[in-house]
Amino acid sequence: MKKTRIIFWVVTGLLAVMIGIGAVYDAISAPEAVAHVTRIGYPAYIVPFLGVAKILGVIAILVPGYPRIKEWAYAGIFFDLFGAFYSHIAFGDGPDMWAPFIIGFALIAVSYIYYHKLQRETFATT
């Protein structure tokens, strides 16, 4: 169980940093974040909303307990990442822009899998 817990927290921490840094820039409507989102055709007013939603999702994933909220948070972060990935592809951005998305998808998948593995191991020992 210790190995599972370590892998979960390392991967989840990396996911939280990856999503969280961008979310803070979005939440405060940093000019770089607004320029990035408006470049691919979205309105500027969506930026702070997405930033706050991502921050809440990261908090939900990091806080112990609340399994139903965690499920929604994982889903929300996945849909946000998938929507951004699709938007970049539709806008015409090439494979050189795909690396952060692929890393993000891998982190979400591993974090989610190890969250459930950790839950099973925790309930099996009690």
Side-chain angles (χ1 to χ4, degrees), residues 32-102:
E32 300 87 1
V34 173
H36 182 75
V37 171
T38 55
R39 177 184 75 87
I40 58 176
Y42 290 103
Y45 64 79
I46 197 84
V47 176
F49 169 77
L50 289 174
V52 170
K54 286 187 249 184
I55 289 170
L56 292 173
V58 167
I59 290 169
I61 289 173
L62 292 176
V63 171
Y66 308 101
R68 185 154 305 176
I69 293 173
K70 279 190 191 304
E71 292 288 332
W72 281 96
Y74 276 113
I77 290 172
F78 173 81
F79 291 137
D80 174 72
L81 191 62
F82 187 78
F85 185 50
Y86 179 79
S87 295
H88 280 281
I89 290 171
F91 185 73
D93 289 338
D96 58 320
M97 291 287 293
W98 297 357
F101 296 107
I102 293 168

